[in-house]
Amino acid sequence: MNRRHLFCNAVLFCSMLLPRPTLAQGTIADYQRAAAVREKLQGLAVNMPEKANWIEGTSRFWYRKSVKGGNQFVLVDVADLLKRPAFDHEKLAASLAAGSAEKYSGVTLPFSFITFVDNEKSLEFAAGDSKWRCDLTEYNCKKIGPAGPGDLRSGRGSSPPLRGSQEDDQPKASPDGKWEAFVKNYNVHVRAKGSKDTVPLSFDGSEGNYYTPASIRWSPDSTRLAVYRERPGYHRKIQYIESSPEDQLQPKYSTREYVKPGDALDIRQPVLFQIETRKQLLVENTLFPNPYELSPLTWRKDSRAVTFEYNQRGHQVYRVIEVDARTAKARAVISEEPQTFFCYSGKWFRHDVSDGKEVVWMSERDGWNHLYLYDGVTGAVKNQITRGNWVVRGVEKVDEQARQIWLRGSGMVPGKDPYFVHYYRINFDGTGLTALTEADGNHSVAFSQDMKYYIDTWSRVDVPPVCQLRRASDKKVLAELERGDIRELLQIGWRPPEVFTALGRDGKTGIWGIIIRPTNFDPSRKYPVIENIYAGPQDSFVPKSFSINSGMQSMAELGFIVVQIDGMGTSNRSKAFHDVAWKNLADAGFPDRILWHKAVAEKYPYYDISRAGIYGHSAGGQNALAALLFHPEFYAAAASSCGCHDNRMDKIWWNEQWMGWPLGPEYAACSNVDNASKLQGKLLLSVGEMDTNVDPASTMQVVNALIKANKTFELLVLPGQGHSAGGDYGERKRFDFFVHHLLSVEPPDWNKIEKSKSTASTGSGSAQPQ
């Protein structure tokens, strides 16, 4: 039995032991409903399509949708517009069950992503820890190896990586196949293919300033090499103690390399080599004197030059640099030098047209995130491609032949949610802007490889998804594939979140959020308010597409109203909106959030902001505690899990991106550790002892500061857990915390309940241990 089932059983048993007041909040009936809400609600929304996936080289695509009791995979061919099962679900379930000793049905298959192989005669998928292949004729399913991180679902992005990745030290063959280049004794060597005789090209490499084999790049004409020489910085290591390992009694000790703000970094220097003359050319570093990162070296197709991107420490200078292959002279093709930060981690796009003769580039230089066309030879801007008080959210395709760009954007439609993503097509010269999506909602589009067709799936938090196949040339809807059905959800009392807007601190900018009420909501009662916060500047976080929001809904069932807000300092609005976070992560949009709460309370008398709580995880954990330190006049209780409570203690890329470099007094001003003595209100801290995302010491340093300040708080340390809010136990702890402090109700005595359950289960001699 999993933990959630145990929790459900516990509250069911408790309901038989304790009285059930009809008007109270935080009752055992509320706990029971909260525990069951995930499983109960999820199965009641049907015909809910997931992302569509085109089958390479065909006119067919597949998607998975929810059906009664589970999910089904659907295959569609543009040629006939017919929907059909992607495979025989029952046969595959039977074969997979036979090969895995698990029980499956056609609608409960243990995977969500498939890959057609062997000309669509077989399927590959990941189930459990294994990768499987199943032929679609005999339905013989066999394990073909371990499941990799990309096998479960494709298309998931990742954050900029931490430094220290494994180097590729294999010899690099030249394009003409005549030579191999490699690093030996810290220096660059070449040899003729098949020969053991090596020729050194450099002699200046050493243990403290070595050439890196993974950086070796041959020019397309095989006459030159470009390589990085690297001077190592400080490689910090975090020490971990796993107190309660599963496989032994004694603790385990481990380390992890982890670079923090202010640390000395590895410094790369590009060097060119001419193979025939064995000449070494050092590239003058005037244009890239203090790199946070230099991107991989990339040759022009005609071998005339090599390019790389320079991200300066502090992220206030970002350049595209081209180095002449003959002279090693560097020039800046593009140079971004904002007053605050260049958002390389979320608003970067570059596409070189005609081997760098032109460049499509993304920039916020006019105050909004837009695309520009550069002359790659002169470095001058030829024209701004997109413009206006809206933002480009990403580029789908650059069609060099048609000189068109297919892109995602938001905020273009006046009076509508500025976060809704729509899709557009525009010409290089900025003319011909064409909207490919019109419905008032958040859109996700999957284009066919030839861009002739697209599957448009859109929804809102209060409108279930609609999925349509459309033709790109005239935007005609060829077929409505799915329309989500939530009638059963509505019948049991569930209601979608309410979208609410209010003006922010400047009195003119709209702040958007959602309101989630319990399924037994009664407007005649008063409800404490709990805010789910994550104010990380890398994105915006309020849901825009349809979802059950089961985590927040579960909390609401206890007798709360739960909300989520995007305040200033988060992304996907104007540059000025985003810049509020610059060197001021403690702001977290709180002035906007509090105004939003007050506007809701003014409209709804039952919205009780005199009992306001807040919870968050990771950066949200930092924000949740900051609410009590910097805004105790509004927030009364906070639950903070795995918070990065001092930005000097957290990963370098995320924190220097927003807080800047060199480290200044702003870091201390924003630190929950340095400001711990200001604590007012009720606080629950939790941390996983094996957290490899945020250093667990960040939480423990807050604990230390709170103890020194003689403050009262609760602490939950999670043995063996990583960057986690604690799973079901952590959720119950958080529920109890807010029930006690915001509802003034004593939570159930879970120890007594578990003991009573145990006594009841062992009272008869027939009871068997589980």
Side-chain angles (χ1 to χ4, degrees), residues 86 88 154 175 201 227 450 500 513 565 605 696 706:
D88 190 317
S154 66
L201 298 182
V227 190
D450 58 12
F500 192 91
I565 311 161
L706 290 170

Side-chain angles (χ1 to χ4, degrees), residues 113-125:
F113 191 85
I114 58 175
T115 302
F116 285 95
V117 295
D118 300 333
N119 294 319
E120 300 175 65
K121 295 177 182 178
S122 299
L123 280 181
E124 289 184 355
F125 53 85

Side-chain angles (χ1 to χ4, degrees), residues 73 138 185 246 319 572 592 594 608 620 724-725:
F73 292 83
E138 299 296 329
N185 194 30
E246 295 286 341
R319 294 186 176 121
N572 300 323
D592 314 300
I594 292 171
D608 187 0
S724 167

Side-chain angles (χ1 to χ4, degrees), residues 119-358:
N119 294 319
E120 300 175 65
K121 295 177 182 178
S122 299
L123 280 181
E124 289 184 355
F125 53 85
D129 296 329
S130 301
K131 190 172 183 178
W132 294 73
R133 176 175 293 184
C134 187
D135 77 87
L136 300 181
T137 303
E138 299 296 329
Y139 281 88
N140 292 320
C141 294
K142 298 180 179 179
K143 293 181 181 180
I144 58 173
D151 291 327
L152 296 178
R153 184 176 290 274
S154 66
R156 291 188 175 179
S158 61
S159 300
L162 296 175
R163 293 164 181 264
S165 57
Q166 191 69 28
E167 291 281 9
D168 175 12
D169 58 0
Q170 296 300 310
K172 306 297 189 301
S174 61
D176 63 9
K178 296 180 179 179
W179 296 92
E180 288 181 333
F182 56 96
V183 172
K184 178 181 177 182
N185 194 30
Y186 313 109
N187 283 288
V188 179
H189 291 244
V190 293
R191 65 188 173 207
K193 183 74 171 180
S195 173
K196 294 182 179 180
D197 297 328
T198 67
V199 178
L201 298 182
S202 74
F203 299 91
D204 54 351
S206 66
E207 295 90 336
N209 200 12
Y210 45 80
Y211 289 89
T212 58
S215 71
I216 295 174
R217 297 292 186 272
W218 281 97
S219 61
D221 63 7
S222 301
T223 64
R224 294 176 173 87
L225 285 173
V227 190
Y228 278 130
R229 191 178 63 203
E230 187 168 298
R231 187 176 74 243
Y234 174 60
H235 289 199
R236 179 186 300 278
K237 292 186 177 181
I238 297 179
Q239 311 293 323
Y240 288 92
I241 300 176
E242 185 179 1
S243 63
S244 311
E246 295 286 341
D247 59 346
Q248 67 183 47
L249 176 64
Q250 298 300 324
K252 288 184 176 179
Y253 306 90
S254 60
T255 61
R256 175 181 174 85
E257 191 167 306
Y258 191 104
V259 187
K260 295 186 177 184
D263 285 354
L265 299 179
D266 301 345
I267 300 297
R268 289 176 168 179
Q269 165 68 46
V271 182
L272 303 186
F273 297 96
Q274 296 176 352
I275 304 304
E276 184 176 358
T277 64
R278 304 182 188 178
K279 185 177 181 180
Q280 178 190 55
L281 298 172
L282 296 178
V283 182
E284 176 71 36
N285 72 345
T286 303
L287 291 174
F288 50 97
N290 183 24
Y292 168 79
E293 187 70 90
L294 301 183
S295 69
L297 297 158
T298 304
W299 282 94
R300 295 299 189 192
K301 295 177 183 178
D302 63 3
S303 300
R304 71 183 187 278
V306 66
T307 68
F308 61 91
E309 295 180 14
Y310 166 65
N311 185 0
Q312 185 162 294
R313 191 82 184 265
H315 312 295
Q316 291 183 277
V317 176
Y318 196 99
R319 294 186 176 121
V320 177
I321 294 176
E322 183 179 88
V323 179
D324 186 283
R326 294 170 302 163
T327 65
K329 184 177 181 180
R331 70 181 182 94
V333 180
I334 298 171
S335 187
E336 291 283 345
E337 301 181 27
Q339 293 299 306
T340 55
F341 55 83
F342 178 77
C343 188
Y344 77 98
S345 61
K347 298 179 182 177
W348 172 92
F349 180 80
R350 169 189 161 202
H351 180 90
D352 290 352
V353 180
S354 300
D355 198 24
K357 302 297 190 300
E358 295 176 306

Side-chain angles (χ1 to χ4, degrees), residues 390-573:
W390 59 281
V391 296
V392 174
R393 298 285 290 272
V395 175
E396 294 292 312
K397 180 180 176 65
V398 176
D399 187 336
E400 295 187 24
Q401 185 174 358
R403 295 185 70 78
Q404 290 182 327
I405 300 170
W406 306 62
L407 60 95
R408 306 185 302 279
S410 62
M412 192 183 297
V413 184
K416 300 298 182 181
D417 191 324
Y419 295 94
F420 282 167
V421 173
H422 286 271
Y423 287 69
Y424 302 91
R425 184 176 58 231
I426 193 170
N427 297 323
F428 276 19
D429 63 5
T431 64
L433 179 65
T434 302
L436 301 174
T437 56
E438 303 90 6
D440 182 20
N442 198 41
H443 292 256
S444 176
V445 166
F447 290 97
S448 61
Q449 287 180 292
D450 58 12
M451 305 300 283
K452 291 182 178 179
Y453 303 96
Y454 59 99
I455 302 115
D456 176 19
T457 304
W458 68 272
S459 67
R460 298 196 305 258
V461 293
D462 57 350
V463 175
V466 176
C467 183
Q468 299 172 322
L469 173 64
R470 307 181 71 172
R471 186 166 55 205
S473 60
D474 57 5
K475 301 184 290 182
K476 180 180 179 180
V477 176
L478 302 180
E480 181 173 294
L481 301 171
E482 303 294 343
R483 185 173 288 267
D485 184 349
I486 60 170
R487 287 175 293 179
E488 289 192 36
L489 269 176
L490 298 175
Q491 287 171 5
I492 67 165
W494 179 85
R495 292 294 179 268
E498 176 187 350
V499 177
F500 192 91
T501 63
L503 294 180
R505 71 187 78 180
D506 60 1
K508 61 182 180 181
T509 302
I511 302 299
W512 291 70
I514 60 170
I515 303 171
I516 295 175
R517 300 171 176 86
T519 55
N520 64 348
F521 173 71
D522 180 352
S524 67
R525 297 160 67 177
K526 287 275 191 177
Y527 290 85
V529 177
I530 299 178
E531 179 181 345
N532 174 12
I533 189 170
Y534 188 98
Q538 74 269 27
D539 207 342
S540 52
F541 303 95
V542 173
K544 297 298 171 182
S545 299
F546 187 86
S547 170
I548 305 300
N549 294 305
S550 57
M552 289 187 283
Q553 187 68 54
S554 293
M555 180 170 283
E557 296 303 323
L558 296 174
F560 302 110
I561 290 178
V562 182
V563 304
Q564 192 170 1
I565 311 161
D566 279 322
M568 291 188 185
T570 52
S571 191
N572 300 323
R573 300 286 289 275

